[in-house]
Amino acid sequence: LEGFAAVVHLAGENIAQGRWTRAKRNRIWDSRVKASQMLGRALLRLESPPPTIIGASAIGFYGNRGDEILKDGASSGGEFLAEVCRYWEAAIEPASARGIRVVHLRLGMVLGPGGGALAALLPIFRMGLGGRIGGGEQYWSWIALEDVLGAIRFILKNEAMKGPVNAVSPEP
């Protein structure tokens, strides 16, 4: 990472695959929080650290708030995923003390035909087996994969951006 122009950290266990058993929750936690802590410590040891780190996070930070309109500064929820997101973001925040610009990219559900939630759901619906998911009244704030890439490029070019940035469609 020495001398890199930026770090974009998107790693993490797929939360949309499999049941959330204790082992799955541990993998979610470790792949996000522990991995980000290791990255944060590595950045602090560099002589010439990258000036920017964009760390993936999720709108799960806010928890299930129904139809409440949420902005970047809204408080965190109390569920497991909200807790993961709080610690996930906190893990790389110490890099800001080193003068590194830290951006927490709070992503909605990423949709693309070749991967993510949509790729998993499409075959089921194409076979006529799809239907209402959950109670049918939950909000799904989403973002297209191409727009995630556009958001990352935008953040990299706009050096005044730091802290949390929500990356979701205008309407759930």
Side-chain angles (χ1 to χ4, degrees):
L1 301 175
E2 191 75 48
F4 278 31
V7 172
V8 180
H9 176 45
L10 303 173
E13 172 81 10
N14 184 341
I15 65 168
Q17 218 169 31
R19 293 185 62 228
W20 282 26
T21 61
R22 182 179 304 271
K24 174 73 169 184
R25 286 175 181 250
N26 288 340
R27 287 193 309 271
I28 290 169
W29 184 273
D30 291 350
S31 68
R32 286 170 170 72
V33 178
K34 287 187 177 179
S36 295
Q37 288 170 337
M38 288 188 326
L39 177 60
R41 286 191 298 269
L43 290 172
L44 292 175
R45 289 192 302 265
L46 297 176
E47 240 179 79
S48 179
T52 300
I53 179 168
I54 300 172
S57 185
I59 59 167
F61 174 91
Y62 304 109
N64 184 0
R65 309 274 276 270
D67 62 357
E68 181 182 348
I69 296 174
L70 300 168
K71 298 187 184 285
D72 300 341
S75 63
S76 178
E79 299 92 355
F80 169 73
L81 191 54
E83 183 179 16
V84 169
C85 290
R86 283 193 308 274
Y87 281 88
W88 192 6
E89 292 180 9
I92 61 169
E93 194 58 43
S96 63
R98 237 347 260 289
I100 300 170
R101 177 172 65 115
V102 176
V103 179
H104 307 292
L105 188 60
R106 293 182 180 161
L107 297 167
M109 185 182 320
V110 179
L111 300 179
L118 187 59
L121 293 173
L122 279 176
I124 297 166
F125 278 88
R126 286 185 177 138
M127 290 188 300
L129 301 173
R132 187 168 65 176
I133 298 173
E137 295 181 19
Q138 67 275 22
Y139 286 82
W140 280 23
S141 293
W142 59 276
I143 184 168
L145 178 58
E146 288 178 12
D147 291 333
V148 172
L149 300 175
I152 292 169
R153 282 191 299 269
F154 184 81
I155 292 166
L156 288 170
K157 290 179 184 176
N158 292 277
E159 295 178 10
M161 293 183 79
K162 63 182 179 178
V165 174
N166 290 328
V168 295
S169 61
E171 296 291 330

